[in-house]
Amino acid sequence: MENSVAYEKATELRLGLPGIDEPAVLSSVKNNKRSLHDEKSGENGKSAQNETAPPSKAQIVGWPPVQSYRKNNFQQAKKSESECGGIYVKVSMDGAPYLRKIDLKVYKGYPELLQVLENMFKFTIGDYSEREGYKGSDYEPTYEDKDGDWMLVGDVPWEMFIRSCKRLRIMKGSEARGLSCSGV
Amino acid sequence: MNYFPDEVLEHVFDFITSHKDRNSVSLVCKSWYKIERYSRQRVFIGNCYSISPERLIARFPGLKSLTLKGKPHFADFNLVPHDWGGFVYPWIEALAKSRIGLEELRLKRMVVSDESLELLSKSFVNFKSLVLVSCEGFTTDGLAAIAANCRFLRELDLQENEVDDHRGHWLSCFPESCTSLISLNFACLRGEVNLGALERLVSRSPNLKSLRLNRAVPLDTLQKLLMRAPQLVDLGIGSYVHDPFSEAYNKLKIAIQRCKSIRSLSGFLEVAPHCMSAIYPICGNLTFLNLSYAPGLHGNKLMKLIQHCRKLQRLWILDCIGDKGLGVVALTCKELQELRVFPSDPFEAGNAAVTEEGLVLVSAGCPKLNSLLYFCQQMTNAALITVAKNCPNFIRFRLCILDPIKPDPVTNQPLDEGFGAIVQSCKGLKRLSLSGLLTDQVFLYIGMYAEQLEMLSIAFAADSDKGMLYVLNGCKKLRKLEIRDCPFGDAALLEDVGKYETMRSLWMSSCEVTLGGCKSVAEKMPSLNVEIIDESEQMEFNLDDKQKVDKMYLYRTLVGHRKDAPEYVWIL
């Protein structure tokens, strides 16, 4: 039965570009339900599972039935979180006369962050690999984490990194190479 | 009974406080009607359009406390346009003109303007108590008027209102002579408050028992307030964010320990989870805990907190508590009567963290459970049947499966049998909300077994008119029926129009009823207002009786068509 439903859908004659599903609108939920019950008599409601999923929740007005005050409150909370949730950390570079500060929340991932650091301090960072850290230059981006340890930037997932990073330091020279050796 | 002087009867009636009972008393005979109406002090009006303020005043000259409800329940979910109605101004105006000595006004889902609040504050010398629930239309200027003019104010309770916060100094408007406050709740205000004025107000309110703060009140102010009001019974914490090693936090710990009377705790609108240990000393006495606005509190910190709350009777929580957390509730809160689990993300319905497992655990561990609101990812018939066996005392059972037509995920069956078990087992069930995949069968069960049912909410359910008919024919005590997105049409609507006179109201949206069907009801029942709400203005251009009606709201009334309906509301 499941197969025949899929087959029918594939050979269905419709007006409209191939590969586009029916638009998910409120009425289709009701229509889904009705056809659901027609097929049900044949096969114990199995069709319930492979019938078109209900439209995305955002398109059903007033569902889920949560008080609009509560919904607005949640939006407010989310907003204020993102508004004043900037994660500002100091960035120091060995040999540079003064430090800089950046907001980690602004960046989407490591490539962007590294690019910004390169531009800020006018240097080049090597290529990152898990085994050997940053190869190809004298500089290594490192950070101090919540436990006070100095870590190489790039090892942990981005989200985890921005939550645990307290400050950044671009290390230079032999000290840097010491960090990037595997086994340290 | 006719040989008793009126004063004796009046004295006897004083002991009858429930609205239902007093209404019954007034129907016994003319003499009782007369005595009852002169002695009546508290009146409840469930639909503000069912009666007029003039008739209210004429019948109950001794009125002191009025409760009014405005918009239909589905207005909470944005299904009713904002200016549909429910304006309180005409009521306050009429009461002000009369000689009614109003002392208490409680409003729900009404539109309250600053003008009405100002008029209210100036018109009733003994005004003591204002409770606004889910209202809108006013600003902090209106609150300033209340604060400034109501000299004997005892209660200002704002629950979940949309208030335009002008960040004015409304709190400073309480005069120095105001020392009568018992209850102050401004948790729903979004703006800054004058913290100094708040501290002074609390200091000079020795009777203050209930204090619910908004987000703008920081932890160090909280500490000062608690030091001044250790007699508090109900506390709503605003912001609870601080460094756990700070002096302010230590002071707070001491202040909280002095508050030995706190039985109800809510708020935590901003929360630092690692600071919760300061709260533990008062947890053991809590009977009500509302953490439903505290998404920052979850996981182990939340569970640890709950483990301290052995006497809890009512718990409002977010679904990030998870099934595991509900297990902790089941083990700890043996006195639990009411549980509400709200979705922590009302927009992304796919991520609910509770399932049928959590509910089953709570039902097994908390035999006194009688009231439930549960937003969940999924539900099974087996679970509902178990819950029905474990907890036959449900008065309110509201289940919301976030996917509106989801079947039992284990058997792929509709949830008819599960809900059927609930209505069969819970003989005292008064309120029921259904969700999930449901056929006409569940309504057959409801009609058969739900004899005490007063309010029923249905969405995306049923196969045919039979569903609605089972309910209308079976539930003799039904007062409110609200339906959306169900295949109920004119046949069901018109089967027994007399029934609607025994109910407060009927709401049907996105169903199959037609304009002709609605007209028919209106024609046959002049005691009903049949409203068609049509914002798309389709009705103007297409008066075809076969046209399906998008939203219909009908309610019984003694005063005919209301005069304040907006353009898109058509009263047949």
Side-chain angles (χ1 to χ4, degrees):
Chain A
M1 237 326 191
E2 289 176 14
N3 285 335
S4 73
V5 169
Y7 184 68
E8 263 172 47
K9 253 195 141 35
T11 56
E12 199 183 271
L13 287 174
R14 301 188 297 167
L15 291 174
L17 297 173
I20 295 178
D21 285 330
E22 306 285 350
V25 279
L26 185 55
S27 57
S28 71
V29 176
K30 271 201 319 198
N31 293 335
N32 284 347
K33 275 180 48 55
R34 301 271 178 73
S35 53
L36 218 55
H37 297 126
D38 292 334
E39 287 185 45
K40 213 171 70 74
S41 46
E43 49 150 21
N44 287 336
K46 272 230 169 79
S47 56
Q49 208 170 29
N50 60 354
E51 191 60 80
T52 355
S56 73
K57 307 303 168 291
Q59 290 179 302
I60 306 181
V61 174
W63 193 269
V66 173
Q67 241 196 343
S68 48
Y69 171 84
R70 195 172 275 280
K71 272 188 173 160
N72 292 341
N73 219 62
F74 181 81
Q75 265 179 330
Q76 282 277 327
K78 260 196 162 169
K79 212 176 92 170
S80 50
E81 213 181 80
S82 54
E83 262 170 14
C84 52
I87 302 174
Y88 280 90
V89 296
K90 288 183 189 170
V91 190
S92 61
M93 164 111 145
D94 292 355
Y98 51 82
L99 280 64
R100 301 296 301 272
K101 243 193 178 165
I102 57 172
D103 179 359
L104 291 178
K105 266 221 163 164
V106 166
Y107 310 116
K108 296 189 186 60
Y110 287 119
E112 213 180 330
L113 171 68
L114 296 175
Q115 185 74 57
V116 166
L117 292 177
E118 283 181 332
N119 292 341
M120 214 179 234
F121 292 98
K122 311 274 182 285
F123 72 108
T124 331
I125 294 173
D127 298 308
Y128 172 82
S129 77
E130 215 177 81
R131 247 172 23 110
E132 290 174 311
Y134 291 89
K135 267 187 83 176
S137 100
D138 262 354
Y139 298 96
E140 313 265 343
T142 66
Y143 69 102
E144 186 183 19
D145 74 358
K146 283 204 163 112
D147 300 323
D149 297 319
W150 284 95
M151 318 285 292
L152 188 70
V153 169
D155 284 340
V156 301
W158 176 254
E159 290 296 306
M160 195 188 286
F161 164 71
I162 61 175
R163 264 187 264 281
S164 52
C165 171
K166 279 174 63 182
R167 55 186 298 166
L168 281 159
R169 177 181 160 200
I170 300 170
M171 284 188 186
K172 187 185 160 152
S174 52
E175 207 183 320
R177 257 172 264 125
L179 246 186
S180 67
C181 281
S182 52
V184 169
Chain B
M1 278 300 224
N2 287 338
Y3 305 120
F4 283 125
D6 287 1
E7 297 80 46
V8 174
L9 280 174
E10 215 180 285
H11 184 65
V12 171
F13 291 171
D14 274 349
F15 294 99
I16 301 170
T17 47
S18 113
H19 294 293
K20 274 197 185 127
D21 290 342
R22 288 203 74 113
N23 292 345
S24 306
V25 157
S26 68
L27 293 173
V28 167
C29 64
K30 278 198 182 145
S31 140
W32 280 37
Y33 177 89
K34 188 173 128 219
I35 298 167
E36 198 283 319
R37 76 175 253 255
Y38 280 111
S39 63
R40 179 90 149 233
Q41 292 187 345
R42 315 180 65 88
V43 174
F44 169 87
I45 297 176
N47 174 6
C48 64
Y49 290 119
S50 61
I51 191 73
S52 71
E54 289 75 26
R55 286 182 63 162
L56 170 74
I57 293 164
R59 181 171 167 191
F60 300 114
L63 181 68
K64 289 208 166 70
S65 161
L66 177 61
T67 303
L68 278 173
K69 290 190 181 181
K71 299 186 195 181
H73 176 232
F74 275 1
D76 280 353
F77 318 131
N78 290 333
L79 287 175
V80 177
H82 269 285
D83 48 348
W84 168 87
F87 308 104
V88 78
Y89 189 84
W91 291 85
I92 297 178
E93 194 184 23
L95 288 163
K97 285 198 189 122
S98 74
R99 292 202 272 153
I100 299 272
L102 193 69
E103 294 183 11
E104 178 178 284
L105 187 62
R106 309 166 75 92
L107 306 175
K108 186 167 185 179
R109 265 180 240 116
M110 293 201 72
V111 178
V112 181
S113 61
D114 283 345
E115 288 74 33
S116 2
L117 290 177
E118 216 183 299
L119 182 60
L120 176 69
S121 72
K122 292 184 175 154
S123 309
F124 307 103
V125 171
N126 281 325
F127 192 75
K128 294 190 172 71
S129 167
L130 179 64
V131 180
L132 302 177
V133 180
S134 300
C135 295
E136 54 169 355
F138 61 103
T139 77
T140 44
D141 294 347
L143 298 178
I146 297 288
N149 302 325
C150 301
R151 292 168 52 209
F152 303 113
L153 194 70
R154 289 195 196 156
E155 181 176 22
L156 179 59
D157 186 359
L158 309 171
Q159 297 177 33
E160 297 174 336
N161 303 290
E162 294 290 353
V163 185
D164 203 353
D165 200 323
H166 289 169
R167 282 148 219 252
H169 295 275
W170 67 276
L171 262 178
S172 325
C173 293
F174 281 103
E176 287 301 312
S177 54
C178 174
T179 57
S180 46
L181 271 182
I182 298 179
S183 166
L184 178 64
N185 172 6
F186 60 93
C188 64
L189 295 185
R190 299 200 210 277
E192 304 297 317
V193 286
N194 185 330
L195 298 176
L198 176 60
E199 286 175 44
R200 287 190 295 279
L201 180 61
V202 169
S203 296
R204 63 178 187 274
S205 304
N207 298 319
L208 194 68
K209 290 282 189 294
S210 168
L211 179 64
R212 296 194 185 186
L213 309 167
N214 77 345
R215 198 184 285 267
V217 180
L219 194 127
D220 43 10
T221 305
L222 171 67
Q223 177 263 323
K224 290 185 197 150
L225 296 172
L226 291 178
M227 288 303 281
R228 290 178 166 86
Q231 76 282 2
L232 282 178
V233 171
D234 169 30
L235 174 64
I237 289 179
S239 174
Y240 194 73
V241 179
H242 223 285
D243 179 353
F245 301 110
S246 68
E247 184 58 31
Y249 183 68
N250 281 332
K251 282 190 183 168
L252 177 71
K253 279 198 214 177
I254 297 167
I256 290 182
Q257 278 172 0
R258 292 177 72 227
C259 298
K260 299 198 188 300
S261 303
I262 294 184
R263 298 287 173 268
S264 158
L265 189 61
S266 60
F268 296 97
L269 307 174
E270 276 175 16
V271 60
H274 41 275
C275 295
M276 295 312 286
S277 54
I279 305 286
Y280 294 162
I282 53 169
C283 286
N285 286 327
L286 288 180
T287 56
F288 177 42
L289 179 61
N290 180 357
L291 297 174
S292 65
Y293 287 103
L297 197 54
H298 49 263
N300 287 333
K301 296 282 189 283
L302 174 58
M303 289 199 228
K304 260 200 109 174
L305 182 70
I306 292 191
Q307 278 170 329
H308 284 84
C309 302
R310 303 202 149 269
K311 291 197 190 156
L312 219 52
Q313 293 173 12
R314 296 165 61 211
L315 175 63
W316 294 19
I317 199 92
L318 290 171
D319 64 4
C320 49
I321 191 176
D323 288 331
K324 205 172 133 206
L326 288 177
V328 173
V329 172
L331 287 173
T332 313
C333 309
K334 296 302 181 188
E335 301 298 311
L336 197 69
Q337 295 175 27
E338 176 179 317
L339 175 66
R340 295 195 191 193
V341 181
F342 294 94
S344 38
D345 196 339
F347 299 100
E348 277 301 309
N351 301 328
V354 296
T355 69
E356 76 277 9
E357 286 178 22
L359 183 59
V360 169
L361 287 172
V362 174
S363 74
C366 309
K368 296 188 183 179
L369 197 64
N370 62 38
S371 175
L372 181 75
L373 173 62
Y374 198 73
F375 285 83
C376 59
Q377 177 80 331
Q378 61 183 45
M379 186 53 57
T380 64
N381 283 311
L384 284 173
I385 292 168
T386 306
V387 168
K389 267 197 217 115
N390 290 340
C391 297
N393 298 319
F394 274 115
I395 301 173
R396 271 169 246 110
F397 193 89
R398 298 158 68 187
L399 188 72
C400 178
I401 302 165
L402 289 162
D403 182 340
I405 50 168
K406 193 173 173 130
D408 179 330
V410 172
T411 63
N412 266 318
Q413 295 295 307
L415 291 174
D416 301 332
E417 297 306 309
F419 280 106
I422 294 285
V423 292
Q424 197 175 355
S425 164
C426 304
K427 308 215 184 302
L429 193 69
K430 288 192 180 168
R431 182 169 179 182
L432 178 64
S433 299
L434 306 169
S435 59
L437 186 65
L438 296 163
T439 72
D440 287 341
Q441 185 70 8
V442 70
F443 299 103
L444 174 67
Y445 291 141
I446 292 173
M448 259 167 68
Y449 296 114
E451 291 175 9
Q452 303 300 320
L453 195 66
E454 295 180 7
M455 181 169 177
L456 180 61
S457 309
I458 312 171
F460 304 103
D463 308 312
S464 73
D465 285 334
K466 280 201 259 174
M468 186 164 164
L469 289 171
Y470 289 142
V471 170
L472 291 175
N473 290 332
C475 300
K476 301 286 175 229
K477 297 208 175 166
L478 196 64
R479 292 193 297 120
K480 285 182 281 183
L481 181 58
E482 46 185 27
I483 305 170
R484 64 165 294 182
D485 294 276
C486 294
F488 301 144
D490 294 340
L493 180 68
L494 294 169
E495 167 87 0
D496 178 12
V497 292
K499 169 88 177 171
Y500 305 133
E501 216 175 32
T502 69
M503 292 167 52
R504 184 188 297 173
S505 64
L506 168 67
W507 168 281
M508 292 181 75
S509 59
S510 304
C511 296
E512 303 287 312
V513 292
T514 68
L515 181 57
C518 296
K519 278 186 182 170
S520 206
V521 177
E523 254 172 53
K524 293 185 186 158
M525 300 292 297
S527 58
L528 301 177
N529 275 354
V530 181
E531 296 192 7
I532 311 290
I533 299 168
D534 176 35
E535 290 169 282
S536 64
E537 285 165 46
Q538 270 181 332
M539 293 285 151
E540 272 190 41
F541 300 113
N542 187 355
L543 296 180
D544 179 8
D545 277 2
K546 292 202 190 54
Q547 169 93 345
K548 290 219 182 100
V549 162
D550 188 37
K551 293 175 185 170
M552 179 206 72
Y553 180 52
L554 65 80
Y555 50 89
R556 67 181 176 191
T557 177
L558 291 175
V559 291
H561 289 188
R562 60 185 176 111
K563 310 267 182 311
D564 62 359
E567 267 179 17
Y568 54 80
V569 171
W570 187 11
I571 308 182
L572 298 175

